[in-house]
Amino acid sequence: MAFIQAHFWSQALLKQVAFYAIVPQTGRGPFPVLYLLHGLSDDHTIWQRRTRIEIYAQEFPLIVVMPDGFRGFYTDHDQGPPYGRYMIEDVIGFAERLLPAVGKRSGRCIGGLSMGGYGAMRLALAHPEMFAGAHSHSGALNIAVTRKRYPADEFYRIFGPNPRGTQHDLFALARRLKRRGTRWPKLYIDCGTEDQLISHNRAFHAFLDKLKIPHAYFEHPGGHNWDYWDLHIREALRFHARALGISG
């Protein structure tokens, strides 16, 4: 695998940004892409530093792009930068011009952990025409009940005074998508049974079940830590390989 570090201009954020990418060196491109998102306190380097993602990705003819999402929750802020637009237009737009990527829905998946798990689900549900699949590890999926977990001023700037029913609310996005009858991305959700966000994941899983929306859901022993994510990213990669129709 080739390892690429890219620095480029974001028109949405009006600043320089970066991503890491892992790219196959064998086989014939173009290759499908997994956009792999980090959590609240990290940056684009963290998956490479804390897991064996480069080793695990060698099993598949797959590009893995790991962008810097800052503390943006991968959504357009109520009072601030459009981090959702940044992901769709700048990160994906630039990555698929730079790299030997398929560049269409059938060759594009997204996933992440914690804040990135929320971001992956939000982007996939808001833009189902763009992603074949999405996964979340330990995701902050029930954003309407997380207010006490984050600084109040930061929460309000990002989500507004009440995110329930807005573009930030995964439950509202899923309900709208179900009503429209749009083709769904394949969804995969997991969380550790000792994770403080397990209630978020159980609530979203139950909601998807209620709407009869197909998805894979798993609970495993473990907490909100890199031991858990390093283990279960391997399962997510296999899930994406099936969603993309590729084999190792």
Side-chain angles (χ1 to χ4, degrees), residues 2-244:
F3 176 76
I4 294 171
Q5 178 174 306
H7 297 267
F8 60 103
W9 175 257
S10 164
Q11 188 60 37
L13 303 184
L14 299 178
K15 70 181 301 292
Q16 290 290 326
V17 295
F19 65 64
Y20 278 178
I22 303 165
V23 182
Q25 286 190 265
T26 59
R28 298 181 61 182
F31 301 102
V33 183
L34 167 62
Y35 293 90
L36 188 58
L37 312 182
H38 64 76
L40 182 71
S41 59
D42 294 316
D43 65 11
H44 64 288
T45 69
I46 197 69
W47 278 102
Q48 185 75 12
R49 292 192 292 119
R50 297 292 178 87
T51 75
R52 290 166 58 84
I53 183 64
E54 189 170 355
I55 302 300
Y56 305 148
Q58 288 184 135
E59 185 179 344
F60 308 100
L62 178 70
I63 296 170
V64 180
V65 172
M66 297 163 281
D68 197 340
F70 307 91
R71 292 176 66 93
F73 276 86
Y74 309 96
T75 190
D76 291 348
H77 288 193
D78 192 67
Q79 301 172 44
Y83 284 99
R85 181 159 63 86
Y86 154 70
M87 280 296 304
I88 296 297
E89 297 180 6
D90 296 335
V91 171
I92 294 177
F94 180 70
E96 294 181 3
R97 290 193 301 274
L98 176 71
L99 303 173
V102 170
K104 56 185 179 180
R105 183 187 193 271
S106 61
R108 191 184 295 124
C109 281
I110 191 165
L113 66 88
S114 196
M115 178 187 80
Y118 162 82
M121 289 288 150
R122 199 207 70 80
L123 289 165
L125 296 180
H127 302 277
E129 75 286 353
M130 290 194 65
F131 299 100
H135 89 266
S136 167
H137 301 302
S138 317
L141 303 183
N142 195 358
I143 205 68
V145 302
T146 62
R147 190 170 307 174
K148 293 181 180 179
R149 297 184 58 83
Y150 304 104
D153 58 341
E154 181 179 37
F155 185 93
Y156 289 136
R157 283 197 307 271
I158 297 172
F159 302 112
N162 182 11
R164 197 179 303 276
T166 70
Q167 63 163 340
H168 311 297
D169 183 356
L170 299 186
F171 295 75
L173 289 172
R175 188 182 296 110
R176 289 170 198 165
L177 201 52
K178 177 72 172 182
R179 190 180 304 127
R180 282 161 42 194
T182 306
R183 181 170 52 158
W184 280 80
K186 291 181 170 59
L187 303 179
Y188 177 103
I189 299 165
D190 70 51
C191 192
T193 51
E194 288 72 58
D195 194 303
Q196 62 267 33
L197 294 177
I198 188 68
S199 62
H200 289 231
N201 289 265
R202 287 172 176 167
F204 192 55
H205 164 54
F207 184 76
L208 294 178
D209 269 352
K210 181 180 178 181
L211 293 184
K212 296 182 171 54
I213 294 168
H215 63 287
Y217 178 78
F218 301 97
E219 294 182 7
H220 305 288
H224 203 79
N225 55 54
W226 285 101
D227 287 338
Y228 181 91
W229 300 320
D230 182 58
L231 178 62
H232 295 292
I233 185 59
R234 286 172 272 185
E235 297 157 9
L237 285 168
R238 290 191 286 270
F239 163 79
H240 288 304
R242 292 191 297 270
L244 294 165

